[in-house]
Coordinates of all heavy atoms in Angstrom, one line a residue:
F343 N 32.7 -75.8 95.7 CA 31.6 -76.8 95.7 C 31.8 -77.6 97.0 O 30.7 -77.7 97.7 CB 31.7 -77.7 94.5 CG 30.7 -78.8 94.5 CD1 29.3 -78.5 94.3 CD2 31.1 -80.1 94.7 CE1 28.4 -79.5 94.4 CE2 30.1 -81.1 94.8 CZ 28.8 -80.8 94.6
L344 N 33.0 -78.1 97.3 CA 33.1 -78.9 98.5 C 32.9 -78.1 99.8 O 32.3 -78.6 100.8 CB 34.5 -79.6 98.5 CG 34.7 -80.6 99.7 CD1 33.6 -81.8 99.5 CD2 36.1 -81.3 99.6
I345 N 33.3 -76.8 99.8 CA 33.0 -76.0 100.9 C 31.5 -75.8 101.2 O 31.1 -75.9 102.3 CB 33.7 -74.6 100.7 CG1 35.2 -74.7 100.7 CG2 33.3 -73.6 101.9 CD1 35.9 -73.4 100.3
C346 N 30.7 -75.7 100.1 CA 29.3 -75.6 100.3 C 28.7 -76.9 100.9 O 27.9 -76.8 101.8 CB 28.6 -75.4 98.9 SG 28.9 -73.8 98.2
V347 N 29.2 -78.0 100.4 CA 28.8 -79.3 100.9 C 29.1 -79.4 102.4 O 28.3 -79.8 103.3 CB 29.4 -80.5 100.1 CG1 29.2 -81.8 100.8 CG2 28.9 -80.5 98.7
I348 N 30.4 -79.0 102.7 CA 30.9 -79.2 104.1 C 30.2 -78.2 105.1 O 30.0 -78.5 106.3 CB 32.4 -79.1 104.1 CG1 33.0 -80.3 103.4 CG2 33.0 -79.0 105.5 CD1 32.7 -81.6 104.0
I349 N 29.8 -77.0 104.6 CA 29.0 -76.1 105.4 C 27.8 -76.8 105.9 O 27.4 -76.8 107.1 CB 28.7 -74.8 104.7 CG1 29.9 -74.0 104.5 CG2 27.7 -74.0 105.5 CD1 29.7 -72.7 103.6
A350 N 27.1 -77.5 105.0 CA 25.9 -78.2 105.4 C 26.2 -79.3 106.4 O 25.5 -79.6 107.3 CB 25.2 -78.8 104.2
H351 N 27.3 -80.0 106.1 CA 27.7 -81.1 107.0 C 28.1 -80.6 108.4 O 27.7 -81.2 109.4 CB 29.0 -81.8 106.4 CG 29.7 -82.7 107.3 ND1 29.2 -84.0 107.7 CD2 30.8 -82.5 108.1 CE1 30.0 -84.5 108.5 NE2 31.1 -83.7 108.8
I352 N 28.8 -79.5 108.5 CA 29.1 -78.9 109.8 C 27.9 -78.5 110.5 O 27.7 -78.7 111.8 CB 30.1 -77.7 109.6 CG1 31.5 -78.2 109.1 CG2 30.3 -77.0 111.0 CD1 32.5 -77.1 108.8
Y353 N 26.9 -78.0 109.8 CA 25.7 -77.6 110.4 C 25.0 -78.8 111.1 O 24.6 -78.8 112.2 CB 24.7 -76.9 109.4 CG 23.3 -76.8 109.8 CD1 22.9 -75.8 110.7 CD2 22.3 -77.8 109.5 CE1 21.7 -75.7 111.2 CE2 21.1 -77.7 110.0 CZ 20.7 -76.6 110.8 OH 19.5 -76.6 111.3
I354 N 24.8 -79.9 110.3 CA 24.1 -81.1 110.8 C 24.9 -81.7 111.9 O 24.3 -82.4 112.8 CB 23.7 -82.0 109.7 CG1 22.4 -82.8 110.0 CG2 24.8 -82.9 109.3 CD1 21.1 -82.0 110.0
G355 N 26.2 -81.6 111.9 CA 27.0 -82.3 112.8 C 27.2 -81.5 114.1 O 27.9 -82.0 115.1
S356 N 26.7 -80.3 114.2 CA 26.8 -79.5 115.4 C 25.5 -79.0 115.8 O 24.7 -79.7 116.4 CB 27.8 -78.3 115.1 OG 27.4 -77.6 114.0
I357 N 25.2 -77.7 115.4 CA 23.9 -77.1 116.0 C 22.6 -77.8 115.4 O 21.6 -77.7 116.0 CB 23.8 -75.6 115.8 CG1 24.0 -75.2 114.3 CG2 24.8 -74.9 116.7 CD1 23.7 -73.8 114.1
G358 N 22.8 -78.3 114.2 CA 21.5 -78.9 113.6 C 20.9 -80.1 114.2 O 19.7 -80.3 114.0
M359 N 21.7 -80.9 114.9 CA 21.2 -82.2 115.4 C 21.7 -82.4 116.9 O 22.9 -82.5 117.1 CB 21.5 -83.3 114.5 CG 21.0 -84.6 115.0 SD 21.5 -86.0 114.0 CE 20.4 -85.9 112.6
E360 N 20.8 -82.6 117.8 CA 21.2 -82.8 119.1 C 21.9 -84.2 119.2 O 21.4 -85.2 118.6 CB 19.9 -82.9 120.0 CG 20.2 -83.1 121.5 CD 18.9 -83.3 122.3 OE1 17.8 -83.3 121.8 OE2 19.1 -83.4 123.6
G361 N 23.0 -84.3 119.9 CA 23.7 -85.5 120.2 C 24.6 -85.9 119.1 O 25.4 -86.9 119.2
A362 N 24.7 -85.2 117.9 CA 25.5 -85.7 116.8 C 27.0 -85.4 117.1 O 27.8 -86.3 116.8 CB 25.1 -85.0 115.5
F363 N 27.3 -84.2 117.7 CA 28.7 -83.9 117.8 C 29.5 -84.9 118.7 O 30.6 -85.1 118.5 CB 28.8 -82.4 118.4 CG 30.2 -82.0 118.4 CD1 30.8 -81.5 117.2 CD2 31.1 -82.1 119.5 CE1 32.2 -81.1 117.2 CE2 32.4 -81.7 119.5 CZ 32.9 -81.2 118.3
D364 N 28.7 -85.4 119.7 CA 29.4 -86.4 120.6 C 30.1 -87.5 119.8 O 31.2 -88.0 120.3 CB 28.4 -87.1 121.5 CG 27.7 -86.0 122.4 OD1 28.3 -85.0 122.6 OD2 26.6 -86.3 122.8
A365 N 29.6 -87.9 118.7 CA 30.2 -89.0 117.9 C 31.7 -88.7 117.5 O 32.5 -89.5 117.6 CB 29.4 -89.2 116.6
M366 N 31.9 -87.4 117.2 CA 33.3 -87.0 116.8 C 34.0 -86.3 118.0 O 35.2 -86.0 117.9 CB 33.3 -86.1 115.6 CG 33.1 -86.8 114.3 SD 34.5 -87.9 114.0 CE 33.8 -88.9 112.7
G367 N 33.2 -86.0 119.0 CA 33.9 -85.3 120.2 C 34.5 -86.4 121.1 O 35.7 -86.7 121.0
S368 N 33.6 -87.1 121.9 CA 34.1 -88.2 122.8 C 34.2 -89.5 122.1 O 34.9 -90.5 122.5 CB 33.2 -88.2 124.0 OG 32.0 -88.6 123.6
G369 N 33.4 -89.7 121.0 CA 33.3 -91.0 120.4 C 32.1 -91.8 120.9 O 31.7 -92.8 120.3
E370 N 31.5 -91.4 122.0 CA 30.4 -92.1 122.6 C 29.1 -91.3 122.3 O 29.0 -90.1 122.6 CB 30.6 -92.1 124.1 CG 31.8 -92.8 124.6 CD 31.8 -94.3 124.4 OE1 30.7 -94.9 124.5 OE2 32.9 -94.9 124.0
V371 N 28.1 -92.0 121.8 CA 26.8 -91.4 121.5 C 25.7 -91.9 122.4 O 25.9 -93.1 122.9 CB 26.4 -91.5 120.0 CG1 27.3 -90.6 119.2 CG2 26.4 -92.9 119.6
D372 N 24.7 -91.2 122.6 CA 23.6 -91.6 123.4 C 22.9 -92.8 122.7 O 22.7 -92.8 121.5 CB 22.6 -90.5 123.7 CG 21.6 -90.9 124.6 OD1 20.5 -91.5 124.2 OD2 21.8 -90.6 125.9
L373 N 22.5 -93.8 123.4 CA 21.9 -95.0 122.8 C 20.6 -94.7 122.1 O 20.3 -95.2 121.0 CB 21.6 -96.1 123.9 CG 21.3 -97.5 123.3 CD1 22.3 -98.0 122.4 CD2 21.1 -98.5 124.5
N374 N 19.8 -93.8 122.7 CA 18.5 -93.4 122.0 C 18.8 -92.7 120.7 O 18.1 -92.9 119.7 CB 17.7 -92.5 123.0 CG 16.9 -93.3 124.0 OD1 17.0 -94.6 123.9 ND2 16.3 -92.7 125.0
W375 N 19.8 -91.8 120.7 CA 20.2 -91.1 119.4 C 20.6 -92.2 118.4 O 20.1 -92.0 117.3 CB 21.4 -90.2 119.7 CG 21.9 -89.4 118.5 CD1 21.4 -88.2 118.0 CD2 22.8 -89.9 117.6 NE1 22.1 -87.9 116.9 CE2 23.0 -88.9 116.5 CE3 23.7 -91.0 117.5 CZ2 23.9 -89.0 115.5 CZ3 24.5 -91.2 116.4 CH2 24.6 -90.2 115.4
A376 N 21.4 -93.1 118.8 CA 21.9 -94.1 117.9 C 20.7 -94.9 117.4 O 20.7 -95.2 116.1 CB 22.9 -95.0 118.6
K377 N 19.8 -95.3 118.2 CA 18.6 -96.1 117.8 C 17.8 -95.3 116.8 O 17.2 -95.9 115.9 CB 17.8 -96.6 119.0 CG 18.4 -97.7 119.8 CD 17.5 -98.1 120.9 CE 18.1 -99.2 121.7 NZ 17.4 -99.4 123.0

Side-chain angles (χ1 to χ4, degrees):
F343 176 69
L344 190 57
I345 292 171
C346 289
V347 171
I348 292 301
I349 290 175
H351 167 75
I352 293 176
Y353 166 79
I354 206 75
S356 56
I357 55 169
M359 181 185 278
E360 182 185 6
F363 187 81
D364 298 336
M366 278 301 165
S368 63
E370 301 289 321
V371 289
D372 189 273
L373 190 57
N374 281 351
W375 178 90
K377 282 180 180 167

